[in-house]
């Protein structure tokens, strides 16, 4: 989000790698279980399943949308790369990059074809713990909107010499910020994208 970038002195978003070993596939009606730790965070994000190989930069956000075959709700569970100083969380961008933005596990919900979702910026996203609402926002919370952020991330990856392949997933940033992974039962509701239920133990 614009606020997160400003707070960390960034002019462009940072990105890391979501390793396959850290993927947890959500099963409807059966909450996934996550082992908590003091540094663990919870982020609600929208995921984009790439439809075709991409090895060249995109020019406009509309192109980014056409490279996607499906959308998925995603819970990212990064470890906090920051330190506390005078009661405030301080994250050094270089430390965050060196630590892969803290990312090592993520929960993926059921995919929904892109044709079924008219506007990802309009998707309503809420997160609750033990019935208490932690946040409520929309897909538009990411800086510039979902399509712009998707294009930015695709282009960053391509600029680094990588090729995106069909089936790869890109997630576009924490909606409404990260929350501490306190113990409890969570429900993340993504409206037309469905829900992800999980427990932190």
């Amino acid at each position: 989000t614009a606020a997160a970038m400003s707070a960390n002195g960034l002019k462009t978003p940072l990105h890391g790698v979501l390793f396959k070993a850290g993927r947890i596939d959500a099963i409807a009606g059966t909450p996934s279980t996550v082992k908590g730790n003091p540094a663990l965070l919870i982020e609600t994000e929208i995921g984009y399943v790439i439809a075709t190989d991409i090895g060249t930069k995109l020019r406009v956000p509309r192109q980014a949308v056409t490279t996607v075959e499906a959308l998925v709700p995603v819970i990212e569970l990064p470890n906090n790369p920051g330190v506390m100083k005078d009661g405030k969380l301080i994250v050094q961008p270089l430390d965050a990059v060196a630590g892969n933005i803290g990312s090592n596990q993520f929960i993926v919900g059921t995919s929904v074809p892109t044709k079924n979702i008219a506007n990802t910026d309009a998707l309503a996203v809420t997160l609750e713990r033990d019935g208490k609402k932690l946040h409520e926002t929309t897909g538009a919370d990411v800086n510039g909107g979902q399509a712009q952020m998707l294009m930015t991330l695709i282009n960053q990856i391509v600029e680094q010499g990588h090729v995106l392949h069909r089936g790869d997933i890109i997630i576009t940033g924490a909606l409404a910020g990260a929350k501490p992974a306190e113990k409890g039962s969570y429900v993340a509701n993504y409206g037309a994208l469905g829900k992800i239920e999980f427990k932190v133990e």
Side-chain angles (χ1 to χ4, degrees):
T1 65
M5 289 169 56
S6 176
N8 290 289
L10 299 172
K11 294 182 179 179
T12 59
L14 303 178
H15 69 268
V17 177
L18 297 170
F19 293 103
K20 289 181 181 179
R23 176 173 174 153
I24 303 167
D25 287 304
I27 301 172
T30 306
S32 302
T33 300
V34 175
K35 183 69 174 176
N37 67 66
L40 193 68
L41 299 172
I42 295 172
E43 298 177 351
T44 52
E45 308 204 22
I46 296 173
Y48 295 82
V49 183
I50 300 301
T52 183
D53 291 358
I54 306 171
T56 57
K57 290 177 63 175
L58 308 179
R59 296 187 306 277
V60 293
R62 187 181 74 252
Q63 283 183 294
V65 175
T66 64
T67 68
V68 174
E69 67 183 18
L71 303 169
V72 287
V74 176
I75 295 291
E76 186 179 4
L77 298 157
N79 283 299
N80 188 343
V83 295
M84 295 300 292
K85 183 178 181 180
D86 299 327
K88 295 182 179 180
L89 177 65
I90 306 297
V91 180
Q92 297 297 328
L94 288 178
D95 291 340
V97 170
N100 193 37
I101 322 297
S103 299
N104 59 10
Q105 55 183 333
F106 56 109
I107 305 172
V108 180
T110 303
S111 64
V112 176
T114 52
K115 65 181 180 180
N116 294 354
I117 307 295
N119 182 1
T120 51
D121 283 347
L123 284 171
V125 180
T126 61
L127 178 67
E128 296 182 356
R129 182 185 66 244
D130 297 330
K132 178 183 177 182
K133 187 176 292 183
L134 300 180
H135 67 233
E136 181 174 11
T137 187
T138 67
D141 193 35
V142 296
N143 191 41
Q146 289 288 323
Q148 176 65 48
M149 184 58 71
L150 179 62
M151 184 187 78
T152 297
L153 294 172
I154 288 173
N155 286 347
Q156 282 186 355
I157 293 166
V158 170
E159 283 175 351
Q160 292 183 351
H162 302 290
V163 174
L164 285 156
H165 298 288
R166 183 176 185 182
D168 286 349
I169 295 177
I170 289 182
I171 58 176
T172 50
L175 301 171
K179 300 294 183 292
E182 298 178 8
K183 292 183 179 180
S185 296
Y186 291 79
V187 178
N189 192 332
Y190 295 77
L193 289 184
K195 298 179 180 180
I196 294 179
E197 298 181 44
F198 61 103
K199 295 180 179 179
V200 176
E201 295 182 345

